[in-house]
Amino acid sequence: KDIHFLVEEFGLDKDNLNSGIDPHEIPRADFINGDSYIYIKVPSDDLEKGTLTFLIVVTKKFILTFSQQEPLFFKQIFDDTVKDLFTIQKTKFLLHLLSLNNTLLERKTLEIVKSIEMKKDLSKELREKDINEMIKHEYALKIGRAHV
């Protein structure tokens, strides 16, 4: 429904919009009819999911963000904890979004690494539960690294 509206109202590319909600989409950029479709991975609250696909569309008139789930860094924007975000310069705004996401990805990665290291230090003999949890963390890191 949203995709149909965006295609009809703004002339955006349907296939690229569909790719923007595909959880397995790889980070990349496509350029169609003067519009830029930039796919990135954003961290998820859910460790099982690892990262989510997030699409940024840059047109001559506007920037559109599109995803199945609101990215974590949007909370910072809407809570007004991000300074100097609003600008009429599309490139500056785009770089700011990418920087916010990068900072969040770094923070999430450090949390996972720290959690793994703490579990290693707590016990010489790992229990099955600990091993399974470390595998989940490792999976989340691999997803993040493969798509960052």
Side-chain angles (χ1 to χ4, degrees), residues 38-75:
I38 303 164
Y39 302 88
I40 63 173
K41 288 296 190 178
V42 296
S44 170
D45 271 338
D46 183 1
L47 186 60
E48 297 286 326
K49 290 183 181 177
T51 58
L52 306 167
T53 302
F54 184 71
L55 172 62
I56 304 169
V57 182
V58 181
T59 73
K60 291 177 181 147
K61 296 184 178 182
F62 61 87
I63 291 181
L64 169 82
T65 60
F66 196 64
S67 183
Q68 281 191 333
Q69 183 178 328
E70 182 178 284
L72 297 174
F73 64 84
F74 268 28
K75 291 176 186 170

Side-chain angles (χ1 to χ4, degrees), residues 31-147:
F31 307 96
I32 298 176
N33 299 328
D35 298 335
S36 302
Y37 296 81
I38 303 164
Y39 302 88
I40 63 173
K41 288 296 190 178
V42 296
S44 170
D45 271 338
D46 183 1
L47 186 60
E48 297 286 326
K49 290 183 181 177
T51 58
L52 306 167
T53 302
F54 184 71
L55 172 62
I56 304 169
V57 182
V58 181
T59 73
K60 291 177 181 147
K61 296 184 178 182
F62 61 87
I63 291 181
L64 169 82
T65 60
F66 196 64
S67 183
Q68 281 191 333
Q69 183 178 328
E70 182 178 284
L72 297 174
F73 64 84
F74 268 28
K75 291 176 186 170
Q76 294 174 299
I77 294 170
F78 295 127
D79 290 345
D80 206 26
T81 57
V82 176
K83 303 297 179 207
D84 300 324
L85 174 67
F86 300 103
T87 177
I88 59 171
Q89 298 173 337
K90 288 187 286 186
T91 304
K92 184 177 179 180
F93 182 75
L94 174 64
L95 290 173
H96 206 79
L97 286 180
L98 294 173
S99 177
L100 286 170
N101 186 57
N102 186 59
T103 300
L104 192 56
L105 277 171
E106 286 178 5
R107 199 173 304 135
K108 287 288 186 182
T109 301
L110 288 173
E111 287 173 15
I112 292 170
V113 170
K114 186 176 180 180
S115 173
I116 292 171
E117 292 302 319
M118 284 177 35
K119 292 206 182 299
K120 283 182 184 178
D121 290 344
L122 289 176
S123 172
K124 298 279 183 195
E125 294 181 27
L126 294 175
R127 297 179 307 257
E128 184 177 348
K129 177 183 162 197
D130 295 327
I131 292 171
N132 288 335
E133 189 169 333
M134 287 176 34
I135 289 170
K136 286 180 191 176
H137 288 308
E138 181 182 26
Y139 176 73
L141 282 173
K142 284 182 181 178
I143 290 173
R145 280 194 197 131
H147 300 298

